[in-house]
């Protein structure tokens, strides 16, 4: 996977897991599994987390969407399917998570049904 894919995924997953104001252990573990499964380099992840301290939420979202939009259609679909799966990880789907997911799907130009279908094929991460 490309660096754009990995950065886009990291940005959007971060927003998703922090949408309800709490990042629980299941969400942290799922993020670690995603990083491993998607080949996110430790240095890239560390730089990303360091940058979070100085970025506003809207900037994180814009960078995430811009990165995903620079990806292939297959990478876009995979990233959004992972977001879809992440929204269910903590056992609660928060309204802000749903809005983030649906708005991201619209901005990236992928069909919601395709995201749901793809999400069914990547359950091994979770």
């Amino acid at each position: 996977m490309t660096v754009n894919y990995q950065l886009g995924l990291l940005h959007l997953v971060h927003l998703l897991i922090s949408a309800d104001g709490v990042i629980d252990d299941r969400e942290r573990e799922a993020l670690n599994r995603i990083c491993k499964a998607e080949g996110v380099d430790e240095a890239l992840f560390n730089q990303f987390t360091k940058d979070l301290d100085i970025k506003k939420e809207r900037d994180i979202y814009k960078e995430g969407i811009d990165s995903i939009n620079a990806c292939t259609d297959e990478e876009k679909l995979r990233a959004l399917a992972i977001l879809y799966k992440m929204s269910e990880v903590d056992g609660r789907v928060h309204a802000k998570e749903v809005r983030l997911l649906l708005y991201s799907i619209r901005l990236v130009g992928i069909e919601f049904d395709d995201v749901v279908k793809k999400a069914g094929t990547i359950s091994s991460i979770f």
Side-chain angles (χ1 to χ4, degrees):
M1 296 290 167
T2 64
V3 171
N4 277 327
Y5 168 81
Q6 293 171 341
L7 283 173
L9 187 59
L10 285 172
H11 282 80
L12 296 178
V13 166
H14 167 74
L15 291 172
L16 188 80
I17 65 176
S18 60
D20 62 2
V22 177
I23 300 175
D24 69 22
D25 290 340
R26 287 178 288 192
E27 290 169 322
R28 281 189 184 87
E29 179 58 32
L31 177 58
N32 289 335
R33 286 188 197 143
I34 288 170
C35 287
K36 184 176 180 182
E38 303 305 303
V40 175
D41 182 75
E42 188 175 337
L44 180 68
F45 181 76
N46 290 338
Q47 185 62 51
F48 165 76
T49 55
K50 181 180 170 189
D51 291 347
L52 289 176
D53 294 334
I54 58 171
K55 291 181 183 174
K56 295 179 181 175
E57 186 175 294
R58 73 175 181 275
D59 296 326
I60 294 169
Y61 184 71
K62 182 182 181 330
E63 288 180 34
I65 291 296
D66 289 348
S67 294
I68 292 297
N69 273 327
C71 293
T72 66
D73 286 345
E74 183 57 34
E75 287 174 325
K76 290 176 185 179
L77 182 58
R78 183 168 178 83
L80 293 169
I82 289 171
L83 280 181
Y84 178 82
K85 297 291 284 187
M86 277 297 294
S87 70
E88 303 171 330
V89 156
D90 65 359
R92 302 175 311 273
V93 180
H94 191 273
K96 193 172 177 184
E97 293 174 337
V98 173
R99 282 192 304 272
L100 172 72
L101 180 62
L102 293 176
Y103 193 59
S104 298
I105 288 170
R106 187 170 63 91
L107 283 179
V108 172
I110 300 290
E111 294 294 322
F112 181 76
D113 290 342
D114 293 338
V115 171
V116 173
K117 191 168 155 182
K118 181 69 174 181
T121 69
I122 58 172
S123 60
S124 62
I125 294 174
F126 304 92

